[in-house]
Amino acid sequence: MKEKQKKIEHDKKILKIFVSIYCKKHHLENGVEIYKGNLCKDCYELLNYAYTKLSNCPLDPKPMCKKCHIHCYSKQNREKIKEIMKFSGIYLIKHGRLDLLFHYYF
């Protein structure tokens, strides 16, 4: 059980980085007001939603969400997370942060 919790905490850390990059480039640079944690309200709420889903994952060992057969995210939030991961992944490649991408792709 400790390994699962460790993986979930690591996933949360990576997810926060990806959401922060996306929010900064799409919302905050376009004048949207900062809500909490250097995120706009929508991104903050999406991140909390994702944290809740990660923490409540019934599978052990926990698979990567994109490879999971359950798909506990709502369809709308799943599409938003995919968009965020794609944008932030490309951004990180362009800026040489391959260490963070290693987790996402492997």
Side-chain angles (χ1 to χ4, degrees):
M1 191 66 163
K2 265 192 169 185
E3 279 300 313
K4 180 181 175 184
Q5 193 60 33
K6 205 170 166 182
K7 176 155 178 36
I8 288 171
E9 291 306 314
H10 184 258
D11 287 354
K12 285 180 178 181
K13 179 181 168 188
I14 298 297
L15 187 59
K16 183 173 184 179
I17 291 168
F18 276 56
V19 172
S20 295
I21 290 168
Y22 182 86
C23 186
K24 179 181 177 189
K25 295 297 177 186
H26 282 85
H27 302 140
L28 302 181
E29 288 183 355
N30 294 321
V32 175
E33 187 176 319
I34 293 175
Y35 182 66
K36 289 184 182 175
N38 291 326
L39 298 172
C40 71
K41 186 175 184 194
D42 290 342
C43 289
Y44 179 81
E45 289 174 355
L46 180 64
L47 186 62
N48 280 331
Y49 174 86
Y51 281 0
T52 300
K53 294 299 183 179
L54 282 169
S55 296
N56 294 324
C57 181
L59 302 176
D60 194 8
K62 186 198 162 313
M64 292 178 76
C65 292
K66 69 179 183 177
K67 294 182 180 179
C68 187
H69 65 280
I70 294 176
H71 295 302
C72 57
Y73 283 40
S74 69
K75 186 174 181 167
Q76 178 184 1
N77 286 333
R78 189 169 56 234
E79 291 304 315
K80 189 66 179 171
I81 288 290
K82 280 181 177 180
E83 180 183 334
I84 288 170
M85 298 304 267
K86 181 179 178 181
F87 173 83
S88 297
I90 291 169
Y91 178 89
L92 290 170
I93 288 171
K94 289 179 180 177
H95 291 84
R97 290 300 311 267
L98 300 177
D99 58 319
L100 295 173
L101 289 178
F102 181 78
H103 167 77
Y104 178 67
Y105 290 110
F106 300 104

